[in-house]
Amino acid sequence: MSELDPSARRLDAALKRLEGALDSLMSRTGDPAVTRAELAALVEDRARMAEELDASLAREEELQALADEASEALGAAIEEVRAALGNGDPSGTAMEEGSE
């Protein structure tokens, strides 16, 4: 038996433990290529969703501006109708007085 045999056995045992640890780690994390592909897909999805969110927020701003414009136009039309019906008296009493 040579002086290197015990060292070789310890090295062999250490390598087996390392292989076991790597096998365990790989079984928990999976194939690195698959993990990279999944990560790339997640990054791509995030970028797409960020673009969609930006577009949705811009559309929401456009719709809010249109709603504000429509509300102002409706308010102006209501005031015109009130003015035509009774000189701006919202209670309608001016019309009743004129009809007596």
Side-chain angles (χ1 to χ4, degrees), residues 75-88:
I78 289 171
E79 290 304 315
E80 287 180 24
V81 169
R82 284 182 178 161
L85 291 177
N87 294 326

Side-chain angles (χ1 to χ4, degrees), residues 8-93:
R9 283 192 296 271
R10 284 197 327 266
L11 177 60
D12 188 49
L15 287 173
K16 287 181 181 180
R17 285 193 310 271
L18 178 60
E19 287 174 354
L22 286 174
D23 287 343
S24 174
L25 179 63
M26 292 301 285
S27 69
R28 283 184 276 153
T29 61
D31 183 9
V34 172
T35 303
R36 280 191 295 275
E38 289 174 350
L39 179 59
L42 289 173
V43 169
E44 184 178 319
D45 284 347
R46 186 210 172 277
R48 180 184 48 78
M49 287 189 288
E51 288 176 10
E52 289 176 4
L53 177 61
D54 289 343
S56 294
L57 291 173
R59 182 66 178 146
E60 188 267 337
E61 287 177 11
E62 291 173 14
L63 291 173
Q64 186 60 50
L66 289 172
D68 292 344
E69 185 180 322
S71 179
E72 288 175 17
L74 182 58
I78 289 171
E79 290 304 315
E80 287 180 24
V81 169
R82 284 182 178 161
L85 291 177
N87 294 326
D89 185 4
S91 66
T93 56

